[in-house]
Amino acid sequence: MNTRLLSRFLVPLIAAGALAVPSTHAQVLLEENFTFTGPLTSNGWTAFSGAGTSVINANAPGLTYPNLPSSGVGNAADITASGEDIRNPLSEASTSGDLYTSFLVNVSSATATGDYFYSFYATSGGYFGRIFARSSGAGFQIGISKNTTTVAYDTTELAFGTTYLVVAKITRNAGTNDDVASLWINPVLGGPETAALVSSTSGGDPVTIDNISLRQ
């Protein structure tokens, strides 16, 4: 899979507000616009697997999306089929409350079986809200899993070489193993939160989430 990412990460709460733009109720724990070129590991990111193999670099040009405030700011991270995996810490660990993340993605190729390339990450162990891409027809589909490789894919066939806005949410519920990972693609900007395209409850619930990870 070959992917370009421009990311903006919003945590923990956006209550009945814009899904992809911070509201007055949102605390932003990490924002990354890749306002540099070269290895992400030289700019705040840490390799935790495969260090030095197919290094993830930020390159020009960045990605753009109509009417998105963070669109066109900085460059984009280029992710390939295999290589180092990296993480960037949130400004504070999250142990409660709903979590949102959003990013722009432009996919040039994907495997038929699917790969996840993006997730919340807990250094204590676990990848949560995993975002997958798999080939479908002449294009690809995007899916999500809460904490396993059992993936809920949106059935829409997306076009390679086109930039999409992806929003994911972890809803933390009071019980055991009942949290929900939800996915939106190109949501209406500035509108109220709508029903997710797909959701996943497979796997255990996160306890502490303290990073965003990019996976190859």
Side-chain angles (χ1 to χ4, degrees), residues 20-204:
V21 181
S23 76
T24 56
H25 303 285
Q27 179 185 5
V28 179
L29 298 185
L30 176 62
E31 179 177 355
E32 175 65 89
N33 290 312
F34 304 117
T35 54
F36 55 86
T37 57
L40 271 63
T41 51
S42 297
N43 294 274
W45 294 75
T46 300
F48 61 92
S49 176
T53 302
S54 296
V55 172
I56 300 176
N57 290 296
N59 296 302
L63 302 179
T64 60
Y65 186 85
N67 302 315
L68 184 68
S70 58
S71 172
V73 178
N75 297 308
D78 289 315
I79 299 173
T80 59
S82 63
E84 71 176 11
D85 304 321
I86 62 176
R87 60 180 174 84
N88 199 339
L90 306 180
S91 60
E92 63 183 70
S94 173
T95 58
S96 63
D98 297 342
L99 293 156
Y100 290 81
T101 183
S102 63
F103 57 90
L104 299 180
V105 63
N106 189 303
V107 177
S108 56
S109 66
T111 65
T113 54
D115 300 290
Y116 74 96
F117 59 92
Y118 184 99
S119 74
F120 291 110
Y121 177 69
T123 53
S124 59
Y127 306 89
F128 300 93
R130 307 180 190 193
I131 307 298
F132 288 72
R134 70 178 180 188
S135 62
S136 175
F140 70 100
Q141 296 171 331
I142 290 179
I144 192 168
S145 76
K146 183 177 71 175
N147 187 24
T148 69
T149 54
T150 301
V151 189
Y153 279 98
D154 178 45
T155 58
T156 303
E157 185 177 301
L158 305 175
F160 289 122
T162 299
T163 297
Y164 296 96
L165 172 62
V166 176
V167 179
K169 175 185 180 183
I170 298 288
T171 303
R172 283 182 162 125
N173 294 313
T176 301
N177 296 336
D178 61 351
D179 292 356
V180 181
S182 303
L183 175 73
W184 293 262
I185 301 170
N186 289 355
V188 176
L189 298 179
E193 182 169 322
T194 58
L197 295 175
V198 289
S199 297
S200 168
T201 58
S202 62

